[in-house]
Amino acid sequence: MIGRKNLGVSSFLLVLLALGFFFATYNLLTMVIQNKAADEIGKLNPLTQMPEKTGGGNSGMRFHVALTATDAIYSQWQSRIMYYWYKKVKDMPRSDMGKFTRILHSGKADNLMDEIPSFVVDPLPEGLDRGYIVLNRPWAFVQWLEKATIEEEYILMAEPDHIFVKPLPNLAQGNHPAGFPFFYIKPAEHEKIIRKFYPEEMGPVTNVDPIGNSPVIIKKVYLLEEISPTWLNVSLRMKDDHETDKQFGWVLEMYAYAVASALHGVRHILRKDFMLQPPWDPEVGKRFILHYTYGCDYNLKGELTYGKIGEWRFDKRSFLNGPPPKNLSLPPPGVPESVVRLVKMVNEATANIPGWDTVTRG
């Protein structure tokens, strides 16, 4: 459980840090969130350690599935596939999956509102994301948590390019969220930069987990509701810092979530079985989510040609302006099971989603 004692200097410093983030960013955003961020931040102990037990989780405690998305065709077709597989596995045995929301941060409704449960929020003011659209993610969660009615006590933060390969139980344990350890998120190797946002007085840099915000299953009250405004502010501060922006690049917002969680004393249970990422993970095994962020390029011998366009390939970026066609060709013999499974799952979804070839081209 997150401690609420031994506050002393650490709590006072945490409050000062939160106020520093507040004044360092933009009044247009922080006027909406300042009261919520300030009220509870001092109640959290920044030195809380990971629980020793890492199995089981909150079985039977349902979580709300939430993903952030835009109205771009590229985001739409991925969201449709994701929602198809959510519906297919949601009510299977061992599932703790509750309701579903696509948090649409385009500021207006789109043509999928009747197909996918959606909640429209505003994007960041024009120019504030500086071409890094992912900065809208924490701002979207701040607005959704503030305005929406969410029945479940826990929330799964997901992304459009996630596919549920099996029913997902609640992997969190009380106030300890469950997250996926990314091999490329390495706070200790970037301690100089991390210390700009997480000073030494807060504790060792190892308190910053090697995660992003997704996939994460986290308690809504006192955790995500409190972390989200800090996550937004840290993201904007990181983007404003040239050294940090250059070093972290496209994973900047992931580091911002990890730092924001550490500032609130929140440690994540690291679950490698949470997700697989073809082609680097060759087998599905016991994992729950398939993340197809990487291109899969192979020659006809079934050999990976990563970095070079293969004779056979599947890469979501090949479909920036329209959805993938139905009945994609399967990989050649010798390609890992995870890649074959990915293509088969995409094919099943596109074959069964009504209006696949028309809705996402409109």
Side-chain angles (χ1 to χ4, degrees), residues 143-163:
Q143 295 174 82
W144 179 63
L145 291 166
E146 181 77 29
K147 300 175 182 178
T149 300
I150 306 163
E151 297 176 1
E152 296 87 349
E153 186 175 357
Y154 289 84
I155 292 170
L156 165 67
M157 293 188 284
E159 297 180 14
D161 59 354
H162 288 177
I163 293 177

Side-chain angles (χ1 to χ4, degrees), residues 43-350:
K43 298 180 181 178
L44 302 173
N45 180 355
L47 301 181
T48 299
Q49 299 299 310
M50 284 281 290
E52 293 182 4
K53 182 180 178 183
T54 58
N58 286 319
S59 179
M61 294 290 293
R62 292 205 172 261
F63 55 85
H64 196 105
V65 179
L67 72 151
T68 54
T70 74
D71 60 359
I73 290 177
Y74 179 63
S75 179
Q76 285 185 327
W77 70 255
Q78 293 175 56
S79 297
R80 298 183 82 193
I81 291 174
M82 198 266 201
Y83 185 57
Y84 171 86
W85 284 103
Y86 156 82
K87 291 190 296 182
K88 185 154 186 176
V89 305
K90 173 184 177 292
D91 294 323
M92 289 183 177
R94 295 181 294 279
S95 168
D96 290 326
M97 302 166 76
K99 294 183 178 180
F100 185 102
T101 299
R102 179 184 61 139
I103 309 172
L104 185 63
H105 56 78
S106 301
K108 61 183 185 300
D110 66 359
N111 56 349
L112 296 182
M113 303 297 289
D114 293 334
E115 178 179 335
I116 304 175
S118 301
F119 190 93
V120 178
V121 297
D122 292 326
L124 288 168
E126 185 176 358
L128 194 56
D129 65 12
R130 296 187 282 299
Y132 182 53
I133 196 170
V134 185
L135 281 182
N136 284 282
R137 184 174 293 157
W139 179 222
F141 271 105
V142 167
Q143 295 174 82
W144 179 63
L145 291 166
E146 181 77 29
K147 300 175 182 178
T149 300
I150 306 163
E151 297 176 1
E152 296 87 349
E153 186 175 357
Y154 289 84
I155 292 170
L156 165 67
M157 293 188 284
E159 297 180 14
D161 59 354
H162 288 177
I163 293 177
F164 294 105
V165 295
K166 62 181 63 174
L168 179 61
N170 189 339
L171 303 176
Q173 294 181 21
N175 284 340
H176 292 284
F180 176 77
F182 288 90
F183 69 88
Y184 50 79
I185 302 296
K186 301 177 179 180
E189 292 188 9
H190 302 290
E191 182 167 3
K192 178 184 174 184
I193 291 177
I194 294 295
R195 287 305 188 190
K196 293 183 179 184
F197 313 95
Y198 187 76
E200 292 185 10
E201 292 83 356
M202 296 302 300
V205 74
T206 51
N207 284 350
V208 180
D209 292 325
I211 59 168
N213 85 291
S214 176
V216 163
I217 299 177
I218 185 170
K219 206 169 187 177
K220 178 181 62 178
V221 178
Y222 294 130
L223 290 185
L224 188 56
E225 287 182 345
E226 310 308 327
I227 290 172
S228 292
T230 309
W231 172 26
L232 170 63
N233 283 321
V234 173
S235 296
L236 292 170
R237 287 191 64 216
M238 284 186 170
K239 190 64 179 175
D240 277 339
D241 185 88
H242 178 72
E243 181 186 18
T244 305
D245 188 24
K246 182 178 179 180
Q247 181 62 55
F248 289 165
W250 66 274
V251 297
L252 180 148
E253 167 269 339
M254 297 173 70
Y255 273 101
Y257 174 80
V259 168
S261 297
L263 287 170
H264 284 270
V266 176
R267 302 299 307 275
H268 293 68
I269 301 164
L270 304 179
R271 298 286 303 236
K272 292 184 178 180
D273 61 343
F274 211 152
M275 190 168 73
L276 71 145
Q277 301 185 100
W280 307 119
D281 296 308
E283 298 179 356
V284 174
K286 296 181 179 181
R287 286 142 178 181
F288 298 100
I289 293 173
L290 188 155
H291 183 208
Y292 55 99
T293 190
Y294 295 105
C296 300
D297 288 276
Y298 291 87
N299 61 29
L300 297 183
K301 297 179 181 179
E303 299 168 332
L304 183 66
T305 62
Y306 196 76
K308 177 183 177 182
I309 294 177
E311 296 172 278
W312 180 93
R313 77 182 323 233
F314 177 84
D315 188 335
K316 65 179 185 178
R317 297 161 193 84
S318 299
F319 309 104
L320 292 173
N321 299 314
K326 296 180 178 180
N327 197 28
L328 293 168
S329 64
L330 293 178
V335 170
E337 174 223 357
S338 63
V339 179
V340 177
R341 182 76 171 273
L342 165 61
V343 177
K344 286 183 175 180
M345 295 186 82
V346 169
N347 281 345
E348 178 178 332
T350 60

